[in-house]
Each structure stands twice: as structure tokens, then as C-alpha cells.
Amino acid sequence: MSNQNGTPLDETSSHQTSRRRLLKAGAGIALTALAVPTLSSTAIAHFPENLDIDVKPDNDSNEIDRSSRGVVPVAVLQTDEFDPTSEAIRYRFGSPAAVESGGGACPVHEEAVEDIDGDGNDDLMLHFAVQDAGFESGETEAELRWERDESGEHGLSGRDSVRIVGDNEKHENKDDSMKTDEHKHGNDHQHGGEHQSEDEC
């Protein structure tokens, strides 16, 4: 059988099927092309958890009184993947939720370079104001983020367990949380120059 133009119906049907397949393939390529920027923009803001940190290295409880006006020491330990003593000081510390939303505390005082974990490598000791860290009572983790550049879109992160207590909660190491201005290791190996803390994280 033929259509009005004299073309066999089976040939016409074959042409229509091929045309539909071509249109579907083209649409699939277009959708894939549109999806690439979305995936890339998501990856830009990703902070892999590659930092090895130790909150309050001399305190096993890692207790932080969120009502304290003091500071909390945080050690950034040197690993094969990351040497904190050779990178810019761009850190934010505090509640994971606060840090993820762009908040958290910036380093205060001058940083110190010393071997915190006794492995023979220099580590970086930083201090952060407790009241800027955004902790809530009952939280069990603290996060530290290092920003690779000033855009704040690339970097690394690390977490450590903590015990956050509030204004009226009793805790065993209250005095310890108020004595963090001077770490017991001292500042014998303070490192200046390019490692001066910046006004912005």
C-alpha cells in the first residue's frame, strides 16, 4: 500500500520512527549538557574532611562552656596530605551548622608552630573565641574549615568530638575552660610572617 504521494506506507513509517529516535537522542544530549554546570557548581563548594584536628589537645573531655568569654585551642596536625605550617591562615571553627553556613569563629591571638602529637612534625596551634563559635548546648562535634583561597569556595575540613555545656550546667573542668589564653606548651615556637592571623577568616 502507498500513501497519497505514492510512497509505500512501510517506508513512511520507517522514516517517522527514525526521525523520532533522532529527536529523542538530541533531547538527551541537550539535557546532559544542561546538567554539567549544576554538578560543577555543587562540587565547587565541597570541603573534603581531610584535616586532622585536635580540639583542646591537653584535655581528654574536650569540654567547652559556651557561656565562656575565653578561647579554645585547636591543633591542626600535619599529615602527608596537608602541612598547616606552610599554608595561609584562613580558618573558621565552631558548630558544624554555623561553619557550614559561613559563620563560626576566626583565629585570635598569634598562632604557634610546635609538635603537638609527638610525631616529629610541626603542627599548627590556633585559638578561637568561644562566643563566636555558635555552639548550642548538647552538641557533640566541632568543625574546623580551612579555605584554600579568599573566595571561600574551596578547602578542607576536619571534625573532633566535644562536650558543649551551657550557662547553668555543672561540669568537672570549668576552670580549665577559662584558662585557654595560654596553652601549656607555651609559645616558644611562635611563627610569624605569612602566618599572622588575618582580620577575616
Side-chain angles (χ1 to χ4, degrees):
M1 295 180 63
S2 303
N3 59 16
Q4 294 178 349
N5 296 324
T7 303
L9 289 180
D10 57 344
E11 185 176 345
T12 301
S13 176
S14 176
H15 288 168
Q16 290 175 343
T17 301
S18 297
R19 186 169 181 272
R20 282 197 297 269
R21 287 176 179 170
L22 181 62
L23 289 174
K24 287 183 179 180
I29 293 172
L31 288 173
T32 302
L34 289 173
V36 170
T38 303
L39 293 174
S40 298
S41 62
T42 300
I44 287 175
H46 184 52
F47 282 70
E49 291 189 21
N50 289 343
L51 292 185
D52 188 2
I53 71 170
D54 189 356
V55 176
K56 304 182 74 169
D58 295 322
N59 188 321
D60 292 336
S61 72
N62 287 357
E63 184 175 281
I64 300 174
D65 181 357
R66 70 187 186 96
S67 66
S68 168
R69 294 185 178 276
V71 297
V72 56
V74 179
V76 189
L77 306 178
Q78 185 174 158
T79 65
D80 292 339
E81 293 77 24
F82 185 75
D83 180 1
T85 67
S86 64
E87 301 290 350
I89 304 297
R90 278 192 287 264
Y91 293 91
R92 287 184 291 112
F93 170 78
S95 162
V99 172
E100 184 176 359
S101 64
C106 298
V108 296
H109 306 318
E110 187 175 4
E111 67 280 356
V113 174
E114 53 187 302
D115 183 5
I116 303 297
D117 55 1
D119 65 353
N121 296 318
D122 283 337
D123 307 306
L124 185 68
M125 177 64 74
L126 301 170
H127 295 81
F128 299 89
V130 174
Q131 292 199 333
D132 294 336
F135 288 117
E136 297 292 338
S137 292
E139 290 195 77
T140 59
E141 279 193 314
E143 180 170 345
L144 181 72
R145 281 196 178 189
W146 171 73
E147 296 172 351
R148 191 176 301 278
D149 53 47
E150 294 181 356
S151 72
E153 296 178 335
H154 314 266
L156 304 173
S157 70
R159 292 190 180 190
D160 194 9
S161 60
V162 293
R163 179 170 178 256
I164 306 301
V165 297
D167 300 345
N168 300 318
E169 296 184 49
K170 295 181 180 180
H171 46 92
E172 299 176 356
N173 300 312
K174 182 175 181 180
D175 291 339
D176 180 74
S177 67
M178 301 298 291
K179 294 180 181 178
T180 52
D181 282 337
E182 292 293 335
H183 188 258
K184 89 169 187 178
H185 288 291
N187 292 323
D188 295 338
H189 302 286
Q190 284 185 352
H191 194 81
E194 71 273 18
H195 290 289
Q196 290 290 333
S197 297
E198 302 174 359
D199 292 334
E200 296 181 358
C201 293

